[in-house]
Amino acid sequence: MSTPESLPGPAAGPRRRPGFVLAPFTHHRAREAGIGRRALESPEFRMLLRGIYVSAAVTVDARVEAQAALLAARDGAFVTHQTAARLWGGVVPHSPALHVGVGRGTRRARRRDLVVHESSRTPWTFRTLRVTSPLDTFLDLATSLHLVDLVILGDSLVRRERFTPVELVRHCAGATGRGVRVARRAAGLVRAGVDSPMETRSRMLRVLSGLPELETDIRFSDAHGRLLRRLDAGDRATRTAVEYDGRQHIEREQAWEADIGRREEFEDEEWRIITLVSRDIYASPEATVDRLRRIFRKRGIPLGRPSEEWRRHFPGRS
């Protein structure tokens, strides 16, 4: 048994609990340690899955969720799908259930709060946990994620250096089975140097509407190779850029002033920076597409053939 730790307890004062409660544990383990049902149902603990608990003092992150999923599953299970993506640091839509995989023909645990997939994947070990590789995780999620969300996942895993765009394209090209077509298409749209999911959404709105993708992550360095400035995406020939500006960029006065100065430097060099915010992507994508097409045409950027595919992924709202 681990060394006991002092954990927050009821109002009467702190209660000393075994150290194992700092990681997910079963109600059977709790009973063996003398922790009763009333204590487990108190604010001292949090239930992660049915019969799986952790101390309320623990921050529940991707690793804790993965530990809970493996504890709830049978021996030999490994983390997969959204749960694996989060463990690798990827960005995926919320899933109300946790996901694990087991070998073909293995008896699967039946639980409402845990999705158990039959899988032929060979798991890796990451942060001491068995999990599908980043590349296999991307392929698995191609069966359930839409194109834009899959590209967002790919961009985020590239940013975390889990694989490169070239490695992803190669892996998807050799894959077979469900979801492989969307996986291959998404892999071809994944880019390095993307800082946020909204940058990916901005790029995908352009691509799916037939507008030029533009160069991603344009960097400007001095003679010594030190980074001076960067742009989310742009066309160097016409000095036109598209930037996504989230609220976090302007919450501090100092950062806002620095951004103004940076923008003025670009204007001095005759760059035209088109700034997009959340409502341009979510609320009024059609107006955004029209606006970008109009500006690109004026700036002399060759336009692609218009496409309506963007409407399926960016429905907008009134």
Side-chain angles (χ1 to χ4, degrees):
M1 183 176 294
S2 304
T3 304
E5 301 282 350
S6 294
L7 297 175
R15 179 180 300 178
R16 296 177 67 82
R17 293 296 190 191
F20 73 75
V21 302
L22 296 178
F25 61 93
T26 66
H27 67 280
H28 297 293
R29 182 82 184 277
R31 188 164 54 243
E32 291 173 354
I35 303 174
R37 178 178 176 181
R38 180 174 296 181
L40 290 177
E41 293 177 350
S42 75
E44 187 180 355
F45 296 101
R46 173 177 174 180
M47 186 171 70
L48 300 173
L49 296 169
R50 178 171 50 83
I52 308 295
Y53 300 85
V54 72
S55 166
V58 173
T59 299
V60 178
D61 57 12
R63 186 170 189 272
V64 172
E65 289 185 337
Q67 288 176 315
L70 292 177
L71 195 58
R74 299 182 184 277
D75 292 341
F78 46 93
V79 181
T80 65
H81 294 76
Q82 284 91 339
T83 311
R86 289 195 295 269
L87 185 62
W88 286 114
V91 176
V92 285
H94 171 72
S95 172
L98 300 181
H99 297 256
V100 297
V102 295
R104 301 286 185 186
T106 302
R107 184 181 176 187
R108 292 185 282 177
R110 294 183 178 277
R111 302 176 60 106
R112 292 181 179 179
D113 52 8
L114 184 70
V115 181
V116 183
H117 306 265
E118 278 197 352
S119 174
S120 59
R121 306 293 189 200
T122 300
W124 289 17
T125 299
F126 176 65
R127 300 177 68 185
T128 73
L129 302 177
R130 284 161 53 85
V131 57
T132 47
S133 72
L135 289 168
D136 283 342
T137 299
F138 181 91
L139 274 174
D140 283 341
L141 285 169
T143 63
S144 58
L145 295 186
H146 296 296
L147 177 65
V148 174
D149 286 329
L150 196 57
V151 177
I152 288 172
L153 171 61
D155 282 356
S156 65
L157 290 175
V158 167
R159 179 168 176 76
R160 297 300 296 269
E161 299 183 348
R162 305 308 184 194
F163 48 65
T164 67
V166 172
E167 289 170 338
L168 179 61
V169 168
R170 185 183 302 123
H171 190 73
C172 291
T176 58
R178 289 181 57 233
V180 70
R181 291 183 63 183
V182 69
R184 289 171 181 167
R185 187 182 181 197
L189 292 167
V190 167
R191 301 290 180 261
V194 180
D195 282 346
S196 73
M198 291 306 292
E199 287 184 30
T200 304
R201 292 185 189 281
S202 172
R203 184 176 83 248
M204 290 301 295
L205 179 59
R206 296 194 301 274
V207 170
L208 297 179
S209 65
L211 291 169
E213 176 182 334
L214 306 179
E215 178 184 347
T216 300
D217 190 30
I218 298 180
R219 294 173 176 257
F220 301 87
S221 304
D222 62 17
H224 302 286
R226 291 184 296 243
L227 179 65
L228 298 176
R229 293 165 295 182
R230 68 174 294 275
L231 293 165
D232 294 348
D235 178 69
R236 293 178 188 265
T238 63
R239 300 195 177 194
T240 307
V242 177
E243 291 258 282
Y244 176 78
D245 193 355
R247 285 187 58 84
Q248 69 273 16
H249 294 172
I250 61 174
E251 288 182 352
R252 291 188 300 112
E253 182 177 354
Q254 183 178 0
W256 176 241
E257 291 174 349
D259 195 54
I260 291 175
R262 167 178 168 273
R263 185 173 295 274
E264 289 177 347
E265 290 177 0
F266 278 111
E267 289 175 351
D268 289 342
E269 297 178 11
E270 299 182 347
W271 275 83
R272 171 69 157 90
I273 300 179
I274 307 160
T275 302
L276 302 182
V277 295
S278 178
R279 66 175 179 271
D280 295 318
I281 306 298
Y282 288 116
S284 54
E286 183 168 16
T288 301
V289 169
D290 292 342
R291 173 186 170 202
L292 291 173
R293 185 172 296 279
R294 182 178 65 255
I295 295 173
F296 286 177
R297 182 181 291 111
K298 287 184 177 180
R299 301 290 291 184
I301 298 176
L303 301 178
R305 182 178 179 180
S307 170
E308 297 294 300
E309 185 182 6
W310 65 270
R311 295 184 186 276
R312 298 203 303 270
H313 301 278
F314 300 91
R317 57 177 179 263
S318 58

